[in-house]
Amino acid sequence: GAVVSQHPSWVICKSGTSVKIECRSLDFQATTMFWYRQFPKQSLMLMATSNEGSKATYEQGVEKDKFLINHASLTLSTLTVTSAHPEDSSFYICSASYVRRRGETQYFGPGTRLLVL
Amino acid sequence: SQQGEEDPQALSIQEGENATMNCSYKTSINNLQWYRQNSGRGLVHLILIRSNEREKHSGRLRVTLDTSKKSSSLLITASRAADTASYFCATLRSNDYKLSFGAGTTVTVRA
C-alpha cells in the first residue's frame, strides 16, 4: 500500500513552454501533498505544500506564479512549471501523506526529471 | 528550508564493513526519518524514529536519536554493494509538520 505515482517520469521541453507534472496517490487518500525540487548532487528542497481544495502554501523564494499547484482531489495534485527556462531543469518529487496521520509519514513518488533546452 | 547537516558528505567502504553517518538539526522535531536514494531515482523510506525514542532497529539498520544534542546517526551493518546510494535524514518539524532534509551522505560500497 501507500503508492504514489508521478507522470511523466521525464520530460524535455523548449524554453518558454509550460510543463505539467501529475502526482497521484494510488491506494490512499491524501489531504496533503508536497512538492520538492532536487538539483544534481543536492538535497531535496520543499517548494510547496498542497492541501486538497485550498490554495497551496509556497516556501520562501519559490515563485507561486511560476510553479502553479492544483490539488483538485484527494488523490491528485499537479505542478505546472510555466514559461520554463533552463534553470528550471531539475528533479521534481512529490509526496503524499495519509488523511489521519498528519504528515507523520510521507510517501514519495518516483520523481520527474525536467530538462529545459 | 534545509535544517539538517550530515556528515560525512561521502563514504567509501568495503563490502561487509559497517557504514555510519550522522545528521544534525536545529529546530524542535516530531520525528526524524532516514531515506535512501539510488542515483537518479526516487526516495525509499528506511526508518522513522520519534522524538521520544532513543534507538531503533530495522534489519541491518540501526538509528539513534539524541534530542539534547539534536543529532541522529544511521548505522548500516555488514554492508553490501546494493547499499551504494545517497542517504538523507529528514526531520518532521513540530511547528508545521514539514519535512526538512539534510544534505545527504553518498555511500559507495566496494565489492
Side-chain angles (χ1 to χ4, degrees), chain A residues 38 43 45 59 102 104, chain B residues 2 33 37 50 97-98 102:
Chain A
Q38 183 181 33
S43 188
M45 297 295 292
E59 295 299 299
R102 185 187 171 199
E104 180 173 89
Chain B
Q2 275 179 260
Q33 305 173 34
Q37 184 180 38
R50 293 187 169 81
Y97 282 83
K98 291 180 181 177

Side-chain angles (χ1 to χ4, degrees), chain A residues 50-76:
Chain A
S50 165
N51 292 297
E52 186 264 339
S54 63
K55 289 183 179 180
T57 304
Y58 291 81
E59 295 299 299
Q60 195 171 11
V62 178
E63 301 174 54
K64 60 181 181 181
D65 294 331
K66 181 168 184 62
F67 299 99
L68 302 179
I69 292 172
N70 185 288
H71 192 162
S73 76
L74 286 172
T75 59
L76 174 63

Side-chain angles (χ1 to χ4, degrees), chain A residues 34 36 38 41-46 49 57-59 91 93 101-106 108-111 113, chain B residues 1-2 30-31 33 35 37 40-43 45 48 50 88 92-93 96-99 101-104:
Chain A
F34 303 86
Y36 297 84
Q38 183 181 33
K41 298 191 186 302
Q42 294 188 26
S43 188
L44 279 74
M45 297 295 292
L46 179 64
T49 303
T57 304
Y58 291 81
E59 295 299 299
F91 193 48
I93 305 175
R101 301 176 72 177
R102 185 187 171 199
E104 180 173 89
T105 301
Q106 294 182 21
F108 285 82
R113 192 162 299 281
Chain B
S1 61
Q2 275 179 260
N30 179 284
N31 65 54
Q33 305 173 34
Y35 291 85
Q37 184 180 38
R41 308 291 291 274
L43 293 177
H45 184 263
L48 179 154
R50 293 187 169 81
F88 295 93
L92 188 71
R93 303 192 301 235
D96 58 12
Y97 282 83
K98 291 180 181 177
L99 273 180
F101 282 82

